Amino acid sequence: MEYKDYYEILGLKKDAPQDEVKRAYRKLARKYHPDVSKESDAEVKFKEVGEAYEVLKDPEKREAYDQLGENWKAGQDGFQPPPDWEQNFDFGGGGYTQGNAEDYSSFFEDLFGGDRASSGRYHRSGGPSGGFQAKGENVRAKIMIDLEDSLNGTKQSVKMSIPEINEQGQVVSKHRTLSIKIPKGIKEGQTIRLSKQGNPGHGGGEPGDLLIEVAFNPHKLYNINEKDISLNVPVAPWEATLGAKIKVPTPDGKKMDMKIPPDSQQGRKLRLKGKGLPGKNAGDFYVVLQITLPPSSNPKVKEYNEKMRDEIDFNPRSYLF
Amino acid sequence: MSTNVMNIISGSILEEEPTLNLAELCQCCQTPAEFIIRLVDQGVIAPLEGESTRQWRFHQSAQIRTHKALRLRQDLGINLSGVALSLELLDEIDSLKRELNQFKHIAENQLFDSNS
């Protein structure tokens, strides 16, 4: 098994006093809580922090752990605790004081797991004969998708790590890859439900669901807000003033003719109804005009602008005074 | 572990599924009705309709929110009004981030324009 440096995980020195351990844990727990943090590996970090605290908060476990640390050499992967190390410490039976056993790493398990075979908390009692039947827990995950995935309902593979129990009764984080079809028109913050892909049921109950929260990767052209998609489109000053017909790329990969009305100011939004994310209440597609100036290094541009300055009576700042 | 052969699983959008009654919400969050009622009292979740608790109907997203509330309370030791405050602030951060991204998007485009 792999040695875990619980002090490093909590950002502590080896001689940190107990109240400092508590403070460090609370701070990191808030930081990495999967419902608070946006980092993709928040769940893993949060569990690591919890595991580290579970050991270091208890002076007895901490002492035992410290003794082990001295015997451990850096780079040594196949870490085994000395065979008799547990004798001096009294936590042979069931070392968990809070949380679920599944949340702890195999390293923790080997040190503090106690007698797993008889630990009722670990092996859920049950089986059809137990008379206790319940649906498995729902499992939650996060996924980043592209705008195109939601537009077209494409296939995506999702990698997840799920804590599982192997034959030796150890908790291992198993990597599971699922190939899923993204529901068409899903928007940021919504959840994909995969029926019966969660934790197994107890006593013959049906498995829970897998709930995957969706977020979008930033797109190089389009900006997405709820079900609406917007695109900034540069226009020349004369196009904005006189009106024009231009071509714009739509999210579905096509080109579309669009009429710019005369006297369109910077930032004017033109709406194409129903061309946003598809679905029951399809979103809209907005073209946002960005007036773009031709460079004054061009002599013609300079000439015409000077002419406008001299001949047109226009003060855009009149309302300021 | 073999990942070569895989079936493509079709998912559904949770938020667009039929609403839940109190018992269903309790079941999928594995929490007693008292807790759901306290969440409603705190304004963390709100029923879409229904005068009495028996008639309550909840949007599917209430399930996600209840899960979050349960986890925050258990993992960080926050009481319910603290959970309510945290969730509201998290929502606000989300919407501010979305707004910020929109401005960033415009700003980046303008930067691109001035270079071209």
Side-chain angles (χ1 to χ4, degrees):
Chain A
M1 74 179 144
E2 198 186 329
Y3 178 80
K4 285 202 175 181
D5 190 337
Y6 289 148
Y7 289 99
E8 199 183 299
I9 289 168
L10 292 182
L12 292 168
K13 289 198 183 112
K14 288 260 187 286
D15 57 356
Q18 283 308 122
D19 52 351
E20 207 173 296
V21 172
K22 193 195 261 176
R23 277 199 292 269
Y25 163 72
R26 288 193 172 152
K27 211 168 171 176
L28 290 172
R30 281 196 297 268
K31 184 176 171 193
Y32 291 124
H33 195 277
D35 289 318
V36 175
S37 170
K38 290 282 165 216
E39 286 173 49
S40 55
D41 60 344
E43 186 106 34
V44 176
K45 281 194 175 145
F46 180 72
K47 280 183 177 155
E48 262 181 0
V49 167
E51 182 179 317
Y53 181 59
E54 191 62 25
V55 172
L56 299 187
K57 76 169 180 187
D58 179 335
E60 204 175 1
K61 282 186 198 166
R62 183 175 172 181
E63 200 190 326
Y65 174 78
D66 288 346
Q67 284 190 14
L68 280 168
E70 289 162 18
N71 298 328
W72 177 78
K73 295 188 200 86
Q76 182 182 326
D77 252 6
F79 177 84
Q80 288 295 333
D84 60 340
W85 84 283
E86 212 176 59
Q87 282 174 8
N88 299 324
F89 302 99
D90 180 31
F91 40 72
Y96 309 115
T97 50
Q98 66 172 47
N100 295 321
E102 288 89 338
D103 288 348
Y104 299 103
S105 72
S106 62
F107 173 70
F108 179 92
E109 272 297 307
D110 284 356
L111 300 183
F112 303 105
D115 185 2
R116 276 185 292 273
S118 66
S119 160
R121 218 165 162 183
Y122 199 86
H123 287 286
R124 283 203 176 76
S125 61
S129 60
F132 162 72
Q133 194 177 0
K135 196 181 170 202
E137 287 91 21
N138 291 349
V139 174
R140 289 171 52 197
K142 285 178 194 164
I143 183 183
M144 297 286 290
I145 65 168
D146 290 325
L147 171 63
E148 287 78 6
D149 294 328
S150 172
L151 284 169
N152 308 321
T154 39
K155 196 193 84 172
Q156 266 259 6
S157 40
V158 194
K159 280 200 193 87
M160 288 179 309
S161 62
I162 299 166
E164 270 198 18
I165 305 153
N166 66 13
E167 296 84 27
Q168 284 81 46
Q170 288 180 329
V171 175
V172 289
S173 110
K174 190 187 159 196
H175 294 281
R176 191 172 163 206
T177 308
L178 283 175
S179 196
I180 65 168
K181 196 173 171 296
I182 306 292
K184 232 179 179 177
I186 196 162
K187 61 179 189 183
E188 173 127 1
Q190 282 189 320
T191 309
I192 304 173
R193 183 216 292 270
L194 301 175
S195 285
K196 299 180 187 172
Q197 297 291 331
N199 283 339
H202 315 300
E206 54 174 42
D209 299 337
L210 178 58
L211 303 175
I212 308 177
E213 196 184 324
V214 167
F216 281 85
N217 290 315
H219 194 283
K220 68 179 197 308
L221 286 182
Y222 301 107
N223 188 49
I224 312 150
N225 187 11
E226 294 280 306
K227 297 214 66 150
D228 297 333
I229 303 172
S230 62
L231 171 70
N232 292 322
V233 174
V235 290
W238 47 90
E239 289 174 326
T241 304
L242 306 171
K245 217 171 155 188
I246 59 167
K247 277 196 193 310
V248 293
T250 51
D252 54 14
K254 294 184 186 129
K255 275 185 201 155
M256 196 176 209
D257 283 323
M258 187 152 213
K259 229 178 107 181
I260 298 171
D263 293 315
S264 291
Q265 293 287 358
Q266 159 70 23
R268 180 166 195 177
K269 280 182 169 181
L270 307 172
R271 181 169 65 176
L272 285 166
K273 266 203 130 160
K275 292 272 179 191
L277 287 176
K280 256 194 300 194
N281 305 305
D284 299 330
F285 176 49
Y286 288 95
V287 166
V288 187
L289 300 182
Q290 304 291 329
I291 296 174
T292 305
L293 305 176
S296 62
S297 54
N298 179 330
K300 274 276 182 207
V301 171
K302 208 168 177 221
E303 188 195 321
Y304 282 114
N305 275 286
E306 279 167 354
K307 218 171 165 202
M308 284 199 279
R309 180 192 59 199
D310 298 338
E311 293 180 12
I312 300 167
D313 182 24
F314 174 56
N315 180 5
R317 290 172 299 279
S318 55
Y319 74 97
L320 290 176
F321 306 100
Chain B
M1 186 190 66
S2 142
T3 54
N4 294 333
V5 186
M6 271 185 309
N7 296 323
I8 300 168
I9 308 162
S10 281
S12 52
I13 302 178
L14 183 80
E15 285 78 0
E16 291 176 3
E17 287 174 22
T19 54
L20 301 164
N21 65 25
L22 182 58
E24 287 163 338
L25 184 60
C26 291
Q27 204 217 335
C28 60
C29 297
Q30 296 177 335
T31 191
E34 288 74 24
F35 185 70
I36 303 287
I37 293 166
R38 285 172 65 202
L39 285 183
V40 172
D41 281 344
Q42 284 284 350
V44 174
I45 53 172
L48 294 167
E49 52 184 280
E51 293 288 301
S52 70
T53 52
R54 278 173 184 280
Q55 295 161 329
W56 276 357
R57 303 297 306 183
F58 291 93
H59 193 252
Q60 285 279 355
S61 60
Q63 169 183 171
I64 303 286
R65 226 167 150 75
T66 303
H67 262 296
K68 282 188 184 174
L70 278 164
R71 296 223 298 199
L72 286 170
R73 194 179 69 142
Q74 184 192 323
D75 297 341
L76 303 182
I78 318 175
N79 66 18
L80 267 193
S81 41
V83 167
L85 177 67
S86 315
L87 286 174
E88 269 162 34
L89 291 175
L90 286 169
D91 283 348
E92 198 171 330
I93 291 172
D94 271 352
S95 78
L96 288 173
K97 269 191 184 154
R98 220 174 299 147
E99 215 169 310
L100 182 67
N101 280 341
Q102 215 146 350
F103 283 116
K104 268 190 192 159
H105 192 76
I106 292 171
E108 271 165 27
N109 270 272
Q110 281 171 348
L111 195 66
F112 171 77
D113 289 339
S114 61
N115 289 338
S116 62

